[in-house]
Amino acid sequence: MKQSSYENYIEKIVRQELNRMYEEDKDLCKCDVCYRDIMTLTLNNLPPMYVSSDVGHIMTMYHLTKNQLHTKVIVELLKAIKQVKNSPNH
């Protein structure tokens, strides 16, 4: 059986947006624990979108724009950031 490559495209978008937010919010702790907590909290509140090809990436990007899933990513990220800021695990 041939090994296939796939990824959760939502995770990629969350990671990109979180990195952007780190640049904007200098008070946000950038340690590994807080990073993982923010990623985990956010991803647990979003539907996964696995893709396995370039066409899958293109279609996912189309749907992200079309159905405002990108906005939901931002909202969930902001909620997770607030929660981690209020109760950091370190």
Side-chain angles (χ1 to χ4, degrees):
M1 179 183 279
K2 185 176 179 182
Q3 177 124 1
S4 62
S5 176
Y6 52 88
E7 69 177 322
N8 180 356
Y9 206 70
I10 294 300
E11 182 176 347
K12 182 178 181 178
I13 299 299
V14 170
R15 187 172 285 112
Q16 288 172 346
E17 288 301 323
L18 179 53
N19 288 335
R20 185 183 61 77
M21 289 179 180
Y22 271 139
E23 291 175 12
E24 293 175 3
D25 187 348
K26 301 302 179 193
D27 295 328
L28 182 57
C29 179
K30 295 167 181 63
C31 77
D32 287 340
V33 174
C34 288
Y35 179 84
R36 286 191 310 264
D37 286 348
I38 293 168
M39 287 294 293
T40 303
L41 286 167
T42 303
L43 290 170
N44 280 335
N45 289 308
L46 293 168
M49 282 190 143
Y50 285 94
V51 296
S52 63
S53 68
D54 290 336
V55 173
H57 289 281
I58 292 167
M59 292 306 295
T60 300
M61 286 305 297
Y62 171 76
H63 289 294
L64 282 173
T65 303
K66 184 178 178 189
N67 67 12
Q68 298 182 349
L69 188 54
H70 191 262
T71 302
K72 184 152 178 61
V73 166
I74 301 296
V75 168
E76 293 302 327
L77 257 174
L78 291 172
K79 285 196 255 181
I81 288 169
K82 182 178 180 181
Q83 184 174 345
V84 170
K85 275 185 170 182
N86 290 338
S87 299
N89 272 331
H90 56 84

